[in-house]
Amino acid sequence: MSSYIIDNLRKIHTRIEKACTLSKREVSEVRLLLATKTVNPENIKIALSNNEHLIGENKVQEVREKYEDLKSVPHEKHFIGHLQSNKIKDILKYGVTCIQSLDRLGLAEKLQNRLTLEDKHMDVFIQVNTSAEKSKFGVSPDAAVSLIKQVASFDRIHIKGLMTIGLFSDDKKKVRACFQLLKQLQQAIISENISNVSMKELSMGMSGDLEIAIEEGATIIRVGTAIFGERAYPDSHYWNENISNSETQR
Ligand SMILES: *Cc1c(COP(=O)(O)O)cnc(C)c1O
């Protein structure tokens, strides 16, 4: 019935392999994260039982709603959407192991407090707005190092890398520039030698631009549409602060 998901996964892995070959990287250096926003648990399970392991959700509500159904299937769950600080509790409750979208100090402070209270730890990536689009979240590249130094002082939060959403454009050079910027930032941060900061991970590349991201050093690519099909909502629903949950229009 839903074998299209398995077919699509095969196609994605072929694309990953080709891109790795071209850039002389090992396939094992690039992890596929399934971007599962709007995807029902049944379809997520099809992918997970087909050798996939890592999923990413954009909305805390979806993390919560799918939790029971997915609990019995081994997987790892990252949060990749805009996080409001009043939802931190749920992130901790429903098995998220990494927040890829940490982009501001206030959120980190509240996360640290909650983690301390619950005696827990959390991995994070710092989300950087490499495309300078106002509609996208993420710390500006100029402010990234300073934010990272501050977040690094929180003993319960462990920075593991950077995340970005590339420019949506047919101009591949401009898309590539976003990924190159993230890579440069990674190198700059490594050279600062900040304790409690690892810069191993670069989460970048989606359905349309994963090859470019792999060529530029992605260690995690986040793919939704090319696996599960088109979504009913535009991505602004997930990325634009001015559009709330209930009032999305096309
Ligand atoms: C939806 C989403 C993706 C995947 O995008 P596709 O174009 O569907 O592959 C990746 N990253 C984030 C943050 C997303 O919200």
Side-chain angles (χ1 to χ4, degrees), residues 14-24 211 214-215:
T14 305
R15 285 174 63 186
I16 295 172
E17 282 158 28
K18 280 190 181 152
C20 283
T21 306
L22 261 174
S23 47
K24 301 194 166 56
E211 284 85 356
I214 291 173
E215 285 166 31

Side-chain angles (χ1 to χ4, degrees), residues 35 37 58 80 163 165 206-207 222-225 231 235 239:
K37 55 175 176 268
N58 287 68
I80 62 174
M163 186 270 255
I165 298 169
M206 316 193 329
S207 291
R222 310 177 307 268
V223 181
T225 310
R231 293 176 291 269
D235 281 331
W239 296 340

Side-chain angles (χ1 to χ4, degrees), residues 45-70:
K45 279 185 195 170
I46 290 172
L48 290 177
S49 52
N50 193 59
N51 279 322
E52 297 303 332
H53 188 72
L54 178 59
I55 70 172
E57 288 287 357
N58 287 68
K59 293 217 175 269
V60 174
Q61 191 188 333
E62 287 191 52
V63 172
R64 191 172 50 226
E65 285 168 0
K66 299 174 197 177
Y67 178 74
E68 280 299 322
D69 282 332
L70 294 178

Side-chain angles (χ1 to χ4, degrees), residues 112-120 156:
Q112 164 76 11
N113 290 343
R114 190 73 211 176
L115 289 166
T116 307
L117 199 73
E118 297 192 18
D119 193 17
K120 287 180 176 169
R156 306 234 159 211

